[in-house]
Amino acid sequence: MVEGSNIRMKSWYEGQLLPRLMRLRWLVGLAILGVALGYRLFLQDYVARQWAGLSWLIDVFFYGLVGALIGWVCITWIARVVQERPGEVERLASAPRNSADAIVSLDEGWEIKTWNRGAELMLGYRPGEMIGQPFDRLMPRDSRETSEAEAIAQDTEQKGYVQARDVEMLSKDGKRIRVQLAGNVLPSDGGKPRGFSLVLRDITAARQAQEQTQRLYRELEQKMRERTRKLELARHELEERNAQLHQAYEELKELDRLKSDFVSMVSHELRSPLTNISGAVELMLEEEDLSDEYVRKMLGVVGDQCERLIRLVRGVLDVSRIDAGRLNLDRKEVDISPIVQRVVNSLQATTVFHWFELPAANELPLVWGDEDRVEQILFNLLDNAIKFSPSGGPIGIQMQTGDEEITISVTDPGVGIPPAKLARIFQKFHRLDSHDSRETYGHGLGLYISRGLVEAHGGKMWVESIEGEGSTFTFTLPLAHRTTDTKEVTPHPSPEKSGEGR
C-alpha cells in the first residue's frame, strides 16, 4: 500500500509538480528581470534623489540578483542539455575509431599517433605495433627509395590536403595493397600544422578488376585487328576471284557468241546446198523421161532426207537466234483458224492412224503475232503428238479466248511423260524414248524452239501429262483486240477423220 502510494506520488511529482515548478522558475526569473529593467529605466533616478545613501545598496541588490539569476538559468540549461545527451561526445569520438575505412593521424614529423580499427583490418597491424612508428614503414622498399611518403607530406603541407592519391602499401604479412589515400592538415591555434589526418581505402580488388578489364580489352582489340586483317585478306582474295570469274564469264560470253556465229554460218552454208539438192531432186522427179521406178524411189528418199536436214538447219538457226536474243518477229493481226487448218492438212497426209479434232472456226478473235512463227509452233506440237502416239488415235486441239490472250492446247493419247522428266522437257536437246526400240524421235529442239517463240510473243507454254495416258501442251498468245467475254470453243472431228485411220 505504501509502495503504491510512493509510486503515485512519484508519478504526480514527475508528471505535474515538476513541470509546474520548471515553468514557475522561468516566470520568477522573468519577473525579476522585468523589475530590474523597470528600476533601471524608471526608478533609479527617483531612488537616488530620495535615498541617496541607499541607492548604491539597491543597485547592488538588483544587479547582483539579475546576474546571479541569468548565470543560474544558463548553467541549468547547459546541464540539462548535457544530461539529455550523455553519450554524444563519446559517439562522436568513437566514429573514426570504429570506421571501416582506415583513419590514421600523424604528428608534424609524420609519426603515427592514432590507428583505428579499419587500419588494423586492412594492414594487419595492431595499434600498439604502429603508434609512434614512421608512416613510411608502411611503404614498400621501392616506394621508400622514390620518397613516396615525402612527396605525400610535401603535397599535403603545400595544399593543406591531399585527395584521391593511389599508393602501394605493405600489410603485416608482406602483401602489397593498392590504397587510395586522402587527407588534410590538422592546424594548431597559431595556424601552423600540428599534425595530419589520413583516410586510407583499399582499392586492390577494384584496381585488379580494372586491370583485368583493360587486359581483356587489349586482347579483344588484338583479336579484332587480327580478324580485320583476315577479313581484308579474304576481301582481296574474293575480289581476285570475282575478277577471275568476271574474266571467265566474259570469255564464255565471247565463246558463246563465237559458237552462235559459227552455228549461224554453218547453218547458212548447209541450208543453201541442201535447198539446191532438194530443188534438183524435185525437178528430176518431174521429168517424164524418168521411167525407172527404183531411181524415182531413191530420188524420193533423197528429197525427204533433204527436207529433214533443212528442218534441222532451220531449227539450229532458231536456237542460235533465241539464245542470242536476236529473234525477229514480223507481228501483225493474224487469224488463227486458217493456220491450224493448214498445219492439220499438211500433217494428216503423213499418217493414217491419227485424226485431228478441230475447234469451230467461227468467232475466234485475231491474235497479235508472226504468222509463220505461229504456224511453226503448231507444227512442232502436232508433229510431236503424232510421233509420241504410236498406237494412233485422236489428237485434240482446243482454243479458249480471254480478255487479253487466247489459250491453245494440243492433246495426244500417246505414251505420256514420266514425272521425273517434266521439268526438263523444254530443255535443248532433251529427247524422250518413244518406247519403240527402233527409234528415239527428233533432235530435242522442237519444244525448246516452240517455247522460245511463244515467250517472244509475250505468251507462256506449259505441259500436263500422265505417263501411259497422254499429254497436253498448252500455250497462250496475245490478242490483237481485247474482248470483254470469254468464249469456250468445243472441239469436233475434222473432215480428214476416217475409220481407216484407226
Side-chain angles (χ1 to χ4, degrees):
M1 190 69 160
V2 174
E3 184 179 356
S5 298
N6 291 336
I7 293 174
R8 285 196 297 273
M9 286 293 294
K10 183 177 181 181
S11 176
W12 174 79
Y13 171 76
E14 293 179 351
Q16 297 184 20
L17 181 59
L18 187 59
R20 291 177 182 177
L21 290 176
M22 294 295 292
R23 285 197 296 272
L24 182 61
R25 180 190 64 180
W26 288 103
L27 291 175
V28 172
L30 290 174
I32 294 173
L33 181 59
V35 171
L37 290 174
Y39 170 77
R40 178 68 182 84
L41 295 175
F42 305 108
L43 298 177
Q44 187 176 13
D45 292 340
Y46 176 77
V47 171
R49 286 193 303 268
Q50 293 295 328
W51 299 285
L54 297 176
S55 61
W56 65 271
L57 182 61
I58 296 173
D59 290 343
V60 170
F61 172 74
F62 277 107
Y63 293 135
L65 184 60
V66 170
L69 178 62
I70 292 173
W72 175 69
V73 170
C74 292
I75 292 172
T76 303
W77 179 76
I78 291 173
R80 183 166 58 86
V81 170
V82 172
Q83 185 177 7
E84 289 177 353
R85 300 183 180 179
E88 190 68 22
V89 176
E90 179 62 24
R91 283 198 298 272
L92 291 175
S94 65
R97 185 170 60 248
N98 297 319
S99 173
D101 290 332
I103 301 176
V104 180
S105 63
L106 313 171
D107 62 11
E108 61 274 11
W110 281 75
E111 288 187 359
I112 299 173
K113 292 302 179 184
T114 62
W115 185 266
N116 76 336
R117 178 64 175 168
E120 181 180 347
L121 293 175
M122 181 189 298
L123 298 170
Y125 293 103
R126 299 182 63 81
E129 296 176 288
M130 294 306 300
I131 293 176
Q133 298 294 325
F135 182 73
D136 63 359
R137 177 182 170 182
L138 299 172
M139 298 292 183
R141 181 180 298 275
D142 51 358
S143 297
R144 288 201 298 269
E145 291 175 354
T146 57
S147 303
E148 180 74 18
E150 294 180 7
I152 296 173
Q154 185 177 3
D155 194 18
T156 307
E157 291 176 0
Q158 289 178 353
K159 296 181 179 179
Y161 65 91
V162 62
Q163 186 176 11
R165 181 162 183 161
D166 291 358
V167 297
E168 274 194 347
M169 290 187 173
L170 281 178
S171 63
K172 186 176 181 179
D173 56 5
K175 181 180 178 182
R176 286 177 176 257
I177 301 175
R178 298 288 297 179
V179 174
Q180 190 175 74
L181 181 146
N184 61 282
V185 174
L186 299 177
S188 63
D189 296 337
K192 294 182 178 181
R194 61 182 179 86
F196 306 91
S197 176
L198 300 180
V199 178
L200 312 176
R201 182 167 296 172
D202 187 355
I203 57 171
T204 303
R207 286 293 180 267
Q208 289 176 349
Q210 183 180 5
E211 291 172 357
Q212 183 178 6
T213 302
Q214 292 175 350
R215 184 174 63 256
L216 292 175
Y217 175 78
R218 288 192 297 270
E219 293 176 357
L220 179 61
E221 190 176 15
Q222 178 64 27
K223 291 180 180 179
M224 289 180 63
R225 284 197 296 267
E226 183 67 19
R227 183 61 59 86
T228 302
R229 187 183 64 82
K230 291 181 179 179
L231 289 175
E232 189 67 18
L233 292 176
R235 185 180 67 83
H236 286 304
E237 184 179 356
L238 183 61
E239 288 179 352
E240 292 178 358
R241 291 185 178 180
N242 283 337
Q244 294 173 359
L245 287 175
H246 181 72
Q247 183 179 359
Y249 172 72
E250 293 297 330
E251 292 176 355
L252 287 175
K253 284 178 61 178
E254 181 64 18
L255 289 174
D256 187 65
R257 186 188 65 79
L258 293 174
K259 180 206 71 174
S260 299
D261 293 344
F262 175 76
V263 169
S264 179
M265 180 189 67
V266 171
S267 299
H268 280 292
E269 294 297 326
L270 287 175
R271 187 167 60 175
S272 296
L274 286 173
T275 303
N276 294 333
I277 294 172
S278 178
V281 169
E282 289 180 1
L283 290 175
M284 293 177 66
L285 289 174
E286 291 175 359
E287 290 289 336
E288 295 180 357
D289 296 338
L290 186 62
S291 58
D292 192 333
E293 290 298 327
Y294 179 76
V295 173
R296 185 178 292 277
K297 182 178 179 181
M298 290 300 101
L299 288 175
V301 172
V302 172
D304 292 341
Q305 295 304 313
C306 284
E307 289 296 327
R308 182 179 179 184
L309 287 174
I310 289 172
R311 287 196 300 271
L312 174 60
V313 170
R314 187 183 298 116
V316 171
L317 280 173
D318 288 339
V319 169
S320 176
R321 295 189 185 103
I322 291 172
D323 290 342
R326 296 197 296 263
L327 186 64
N328 296 322
L329 299 178
D330 182 17
R331 298 191 185 190
K332 58 185 177 180
E333 292 183 351
V334 176
D335 187 356
I336 196 71
S337 297
I339 298 176
V340 173
Q341 191 65 54
R342 190 161 58 243
V343 173
V344 167
N345 291 339
S346 65
L347 289 174
Q348 188 65 71
T350 64
T351 178
V352 294
F353 301 106
H354 303 82
W355 62 94
F356 296 94
E357 295 180 345
L358 301 178
N362 56 339
E363 298 186 0
L364 287 177
L366 300 177
V367 300
W368 184 254
D370 186 322
E371 183 174 353
D372 293 336
R373 295 300 188 180
V374 172
E375 182 174 346
Q376 183 179 354
I377 295 168
L378 287 168
F379 185 90
N380 286 340
L381 294 181
L382 293 174
D383 186 48
N384 279 346
I386 293 173
K387 291 177 181 178
F388 289 94
S389 301
S391 299
I395 297 174
I397 303 173
Q398 297 86 28
M399 299 186 189
Q400 181 180 354
T401 60
D403 292 339
E404 298 182 356
E405 61 187 12
I406 184 171
T407 303
I408 304 172
S409 300
V410 175
T411 302
D412 65 69
V415 297
I417 304 171
K421 296 185 177 182
L422 278 174
R424 295 182 293 157
I425 194 66
F426 292 106
Q427 294 179 0
K428 286 184 291 186
F429 307 111
H430 181 74
R431 298 186 297 174
L432 290 178
D433 189 347
S434 67
H435 293 219
D436 186 344
S437 60
R438 296 170 299 175
E439 185 176 9
T440 297
Y441 296 123
H443 302 282
L445 296 177
L447 290 177
Y448 176 79
I449 294 172
S450 298
R451 188 179 67 171
L453 293 174
V454 169
E455 291 176 350
H457 281 82
K460 297 176 294 182
M461 177 176 281
W462 65 94
V463 62
E464 298 170 345
S465 181
I466 300 176
E467 189 174 9
E469 297 184 11
S471 305
T472 298
F473 286 85
T474 307
F475 66 96
T476 62
L477 292 173
L479 296 179
H481 303 287
R482 294 183 178 183
T483 58
T484 56
D485 56 345
T486 301
K487 307 178 184 67
E488 178 70 30
V489 183
T490 56
H492 66 86
S494 67
E496 289 77 11
K497 175 185 174 184
S498 63
E500 291 82 1
R502 302 185 63 150

